[in-house]
Each structure stands twice: as C-alpha cells, then as structure tokens.
Amino acid sequence: GESVGLHLPTLSVQEGDNSIINCAYSNSASDYFIWYKQESGKGPQFIIDIRSNMDKRQGQRVTVLLNKTVKHLSLQIAATQPGDSAVYFCAEISTTSGTYKYIFGTGTRLKVLA
Amino acid sequence: NAGVTQTPKFQVLKTGQSMTLQCAQDMNHEYMSWYRQDPGMGLRLIHYSVGAGITDQGEVPNGYNVSRSTTEDFPLRLLSAAPSQTSVYFCASSLGRFNTEAFFGQGTRLTVV
C-alpha cells in the first residue's frame, strides 16, 4: 500500500552542525512532497515543498532533495540551531485518478545539543 | 489576522457523549481539513472540504461528521465518543486543494474515558 515513513525516529546533532532528516515514500505517483516542523504543543508548520519533477529545492538554511529512483526524500538543515529542535514530518500529495490524498509520515524528532 | 483557530484546546468526554470541535480561519482559504495525531501514527486525514458546501472523507472518517456552511468555519462532530477517539486533533487550511502550504491550528487534545 501507499506509505510515507522515516528511517530515524530521533536524530541528535550538535549545535552548528548540519542535520539531515530522511524519508522514504512508496507512491511514485505523488505530485508534491512537503516538510513540516512541529514544536511541542503546537500545530505543524510548513517548511518547504518540492514538486515531483524536481530533484532539489533550497530555502533559507534548508534544502530538500528528492530521489525518485529510490523513492527517497531528505531535508537538510544547515548550521542547526537550538530553535530547530522539533519533530519533522514529511508528507506527500497524490492526485491520481481524480482522487486526492495528503499523507503524512510518522515523524523524526530532532534534538540539538548545545 | 489570527490564522487558524481551534477550540477547545483540551476536552474530556465520557464514552457515548457527543461534541463539536470548532475550527475557524480568517485567510479566505478554500481548502480545510481535519487530522488526528496519535503517537507513532503521524497525522491522519479525517475529513476535508474544498469549499463551502463541499466535504469529503479522508483516511479515517468513521465516527466523525463535518459540514462547511461558510468559507471560514469547518466544525468536526464526534457523534458518540469512544476511547479509540482519544487523540490530538488538528484543523488545517490552505488556499486551494492542491496548494502545498497548509496552515494548522494549535490542536485540541481530546480524552475519552
């Protein structure tokens, strides 16, 4: 079946280092992939998205990479800061055959060590 | 501009009770949706609406009803609460159905005893 999942449930990184959060997906027909950040007690917050016909997109301190060959999505955070500590979700939007599906992964917790 | 507002933030229900979770947005977004978040399960789509008067089922619709009489409001009704509905509920909105940037509310933590 279709699924969006994450390899690492918890990732600990030193402040100032780069972070890489990974996500595997199984629906090759998805049109968009999105990363969200969720801080404790808050709703998810949009970070960045990438269309399925792209392989890289950069934002402010973040880069999303899409490898359709192995169905892999990653979020890279440069110079990780304490404020980056949160749970990160990948999600995909699929609009196959007129149906609409917005599927979230289970999340990875990022801990930034001082 | 308040964004997406959910009420209440916390709620305890007894099994069999009914209640409505409120969601309102002031961004004139067409698309609104309800998710539940359970540990280890990510967010799962319950119901969504692509505009006033139009709703559709998501991944886990059983036990929940929605309506969309206005663009701003999208309430979620629990018909007869069950312990399996204990969860954190999030409402989200976006400009359109295929717009990737969704804005989420703060969530409602519901406990059914």
Side-chain angles (χ1 to χ4, degrees), chain B residues 71-90:
Chain B
T71 299
E72 295 78 18
D73 300 299
F74 190 44
L76 177 73
R77 280 183 287 278
L78 279 72
L79 310 173
S80 177
S84 61
Q85 293 180 304
T86 294
S87 187
V88 180
Y89 291 84
F90 287 99

Side-chain angles (χ1 to χ4, degrees), chain B residues 34-106:
Chain B
W34 276 101
Y35 294 87
R36 58 178 289 172
Q37 185 174 36
D38 303 295
M41 299 289 289
L43 290 108
R44 292 183 291 169
L45 182 63
I46 304 172
H47 285 286
Y48 65 93
S49 170
V50 299
I54 305 170
T55 64
D56 206 346
Q57 296 181 349
E59 181 185 358
V60 288
N62 292 340
Y64 308 95
N65 273 358
V66 292
S67 60
R68 184 93 179 272
S69 56
T70 66
T71 299
E72 295 78 18
D73 300 299
F74 190 44
L76 177 73
R77 280 183 287 278
L78 279 72
L79 310 173
S80 177
S84 61
Q85 293 180 304
T86 294
S87 187
V88 180
Y89 291 84
F90 287 99
C91 177
S93 75
S94 58
L95 275 172
R97 183 173 187 172
F98 304 117
N99 190 284
T100 57
E101 185 173 2
F103 295 81
F104 283 80
Q106 293 285 320

Side-chain angles (χ1 to χ4, degrees), chain A residues 23 25-33 50-56 65-74:
Chain A
C23 177
Y25 65 92
S26 60
N27 184 5
S28 58
S30 290
D31 300 291
Y32 291 93
F33 300 89
I50 187 168
R51 194 163 181 169
S52 59
N53 62 355
M54 301 170 66
D55 52 24
K56 181 179 180 179
L65 299 177
L66 177 62
N67 186 331
K68 293 181 285 293
T69 302
V70 295
K71 297 180 183 176
H72 185 266
L73 184 72
S74 68

Side-chain angles (χ1 to χ4, degrees), chain A residues 56-67:
Chain A
K56 181 179 180 179
R57 190 171 185 208
Q58 288 185 293
Q60 194 171 29
R61 272 201 315 119
V62 295
T63 301
V64 56
L65 299 177
L66 177 62
N67 186 331

